[in-house]
């Protein structure tokens, strides 16, 4: 599989809630940023992919554990790694860390779906090769 | 003009930030809810309108003043009122209140734009009549 | 256990993404609304609870499956039901439905934590009784 | 005044809506990122500032014009520049650009407020000097 892709980001007020920490749903937005940057680094622009291939990536399922919260103005890293590829889906393993401390971990499964009918679509071979160059 | 339309909503954690109050950008989401409900009450479903007429409502400009913040779990009211109609735009006056206390006020101008080219589109006469039944 | 609590809500532009459907992370915000309304209906205002008892509810883990997407301007229902109670945590079963169609289902576990130290806090007996009146 | 501070960012699905472009309220989140990075670059960590000085920066008013929309996966730049300083407030001029094309421009006025009472607080001389080194 392609090696993990990691981005750094800062926590802003917009990401936090009145508990003083990042709102739990916001970590899924952070994780989407890491997946998108991973695909961009491999040459896959999701917007153009939707246009040219008529295929959307939709989140099909996810499971997450929140170990410790990130706080305002901290710099955190968010990684994405392909854990498994199937005919019409992709499973990512993702981690949010502050330095060496694991804050959140998740498994996120994306389904490739036909843009118009929203039915499963087969993963193009070219994308398969990019994600698993071995 | 059609009379003002008011919705009630509760402030949840998702709406607040680490300052303990509603994140300022979130009031624009609240205001969008009030505008949408106003249009729905007049028989205008924005999603179908985009489909059938090929017209989107896009925010063209806005000005807002934040007088006092809303806090977690409070019930607030958000109103929308058409202040002016032009060939291809609509100006709304909007208020966020907690009881009788004015929290935020704004003027929000929407442009009607062609969905594909994103160029100005003329307001359909039927919508004009619904918004200004006088 | 207390009976399930269900709220109705409309999908606005703010909830959707360029795929034309609700952004996956946004369902967790919808689910938080249902949990909060359930607690309010039982007499628990989370904001005052945090003040008076010094206890926050933080999401500890969750697992969700997305069966079908909600779209712009649709009315959906979101339910919350306590599936299990432990010393310092609460597990909710949650469903998002459009009419009788199940769109999203999730299990969301909240930990009660001391507001200052962010360490586990024991659930007050009174809350325990409210959630499980049997 | 301190020179303008500019950040680059990518547009993700989370930032867009069913219109296929960035949701209007989201630009205010982008602008907050630019202001925060500007202050961090000058040595001001807003989280610590709130702790040590008991002062929050709250948005008091803003006015924005949306000239053209940003789209999925585009890289845009967002700048912040102090336009005016008063005893207890700061006015920023902000621009969102895609290459040389101006997408959004705004004036955002922040009030410095006492964290506990939410009343106006005087700007510390040190911050004043950092923002206007002339």
């Amino acid at each position: 599989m392609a090696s993990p892709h990691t981005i750094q980001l800062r926590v802003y007020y917009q990401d936090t809630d009145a508990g003083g920490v990042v709102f739990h749903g916001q970590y899924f937005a952070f994780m989407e940023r890491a997946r998108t940057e991973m695909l961009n680094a491999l040459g896959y622009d999701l917007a153009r992919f939707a246009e040219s291939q008529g295929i959307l990536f939709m989140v099909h399922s996810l499971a997450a554990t929140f170990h410790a919260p990130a706080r305002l103005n901290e710099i955190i890293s968010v990684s994405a790694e392909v854990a498994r590829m199937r005919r019409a889906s992709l499973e990512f393993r993702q981690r949010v860390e502050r330095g060496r401390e694991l804050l959140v971990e998740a498994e996120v499964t994306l389904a490739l779906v036909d843009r118009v009918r929203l039915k499963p679509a087969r993963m193009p071979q070219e994308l398969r090769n990019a994600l698993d160059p071995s």
Side-chain angles (χ1 to χ4, degrees), chain A residues 8-42:
Chain A
Q8 306 273 322
L9 55 86
R10 188 189 296 278
V11 174
Y12 300 106
Y13 269 107
Q14 63 200 255
D15 304 312
T16 60
D17 68 25
V21 298
V22 170
F23 179 69
H24 68 282
Q26 184 61 14
Y27 291 106
F28 300 110
F30 293 166
M31 290 178 192
E32 187 220 350
R33 297 183 200 173
R35 292 193 306 271
T36 304
E37 292 302 342
M38 184 189 188
L39 290 166
N40 273 300
L42 293 171

Side-chain angles (χ1 to χ4, degrees), chain A residues 25-85:
Chain A
Q26 184 61 14
Y27 291 106
F28 300 110
F30 293 166
M31 290 178 192
E32 187 220 350
R33 297 183 200 173
R35 292 193 306 271
T36 304
E37 292 302 342
M38 184 189 188
L39 290 166
N40 273 300
L42 293 171
Y44 283 86
D45 171 330
L46 288 180
R48 271 197 231 158
F49 195 71
E51 290 290 334
S52 66
Q53 310 268 335
I55 293 177
L56 293 177
F57 287 75
M58 295 189 71
V59 176
H60 170 267
S61 58
L62 58 80
T65 306
F66 303 85
H67 298 286
R71 294 167 177 289
L72 188 61
N73 219 30
E74 290 180 344
I75 301 285
I76 57 179
S77 66
V78 185
S79 67
E81 182 179 8
V82 176
R84 201 172 308 182
M85 263 192 301

